Amino acid sequence: ACHVYDIFRCLVGEVVRVSAIKAEGFTPKSDVYDIEDAGVVTLQFASGAVGQVSCTVMAPSAVAGEYGFRITAPDLSVSFSNREGVLHVVDGSTQRDDDSISKANDCEAEMLRRFLGAIRSGCGTGILTPYAEAVRSLRIGISVAESLETGRPVDVPGG
């Protein structure tokens, strides 16, 4: 979900508070798998807007790795699904679809290629996200993990 947090931060603003719940016991745990089976996170933004992110590892393999988002505001809706590969924008009564985002564009593989290349070379010039931005998103993830464990809302540091 960290990439969805990044998208929301970019389009909606900083997250100041999270509240998360989880489901467990549907998928056997192992030495390599020790996360929750599903989780739902409510995000509160500095602007007062709210958002919701849900994740699961229980999806059938045909849809595993699928992700998307929808942002809705007065007279505006923006949505994307990596399965469809089209960004939909509805502004008032006008809908625009941008299909230039190819389903074949494997962003995850490219991100990992650049990250591992930076580690191997010791040079981070291929990394496109500034370190400070990554830290901001990491703070959200750490706050979500705390909320999943405690069952209580958590303020995001520096949010």
Side-chain angles (χ1 to χ4, degrees), residues 105-116 126-128:
N105 179 10
D106 190 344
C107 299
E108 190 85 15
E110 178 65 13
M111 176 187 63
L112 288 173
R113 185 187 70 73
R114 286 175 182 255
F115 181 70
L116 294 173
I127 303 295
L128 302 178

Side-chain angles (χ1 to χ4, degrees), residues 5 8 15 17-18 41-45 49-53 140 144:
Y5 300 148
F8 283 177
V15 176
R17 189 173 179 88
V18 299
V41 180
T42 302
L43 309 168
Q44 181 180 358
F45 295 88
V50 295
Q52 179 263 326
V53 175
I140 297 169
V144 167

Side-chain angles (χ1 to χ4, degrees), residues 41-111:
V41 180
T42 302
L43 309 168
Q44 181 180 358
F45 295 88
S47 66
V50 295
Q52 179 263 326
V53 175
S54 60
C55 301
T56 185
V57 295
M58 297 185 293
S61 60
V63 294
E66 187 172 307
Y67 65 89
F69 68 87
R70 175 180 302 276
I71 296 174
T72 305
D75 293 321
L76 178 68
S77 175
V78 180
S79 62
F80 174 79
S81 164
N82 71 323
R83 178 174 276 256
E84 183 184 23
V86 176
L87 180 69
H88 300 282
V89 178
V90 178
D91 186 2
S93 60
T94 304
Q95 178 167 334
R96 296 182 310 276
D97 297 328
D98 182 350
D99 62 357
S100 65
I101 305 168
S102 169
K103 289 186 282 186
N105 179 10
D106 190 344
C107 299
E108 190 85 15
E110 178 65 13
M111 176 187 63

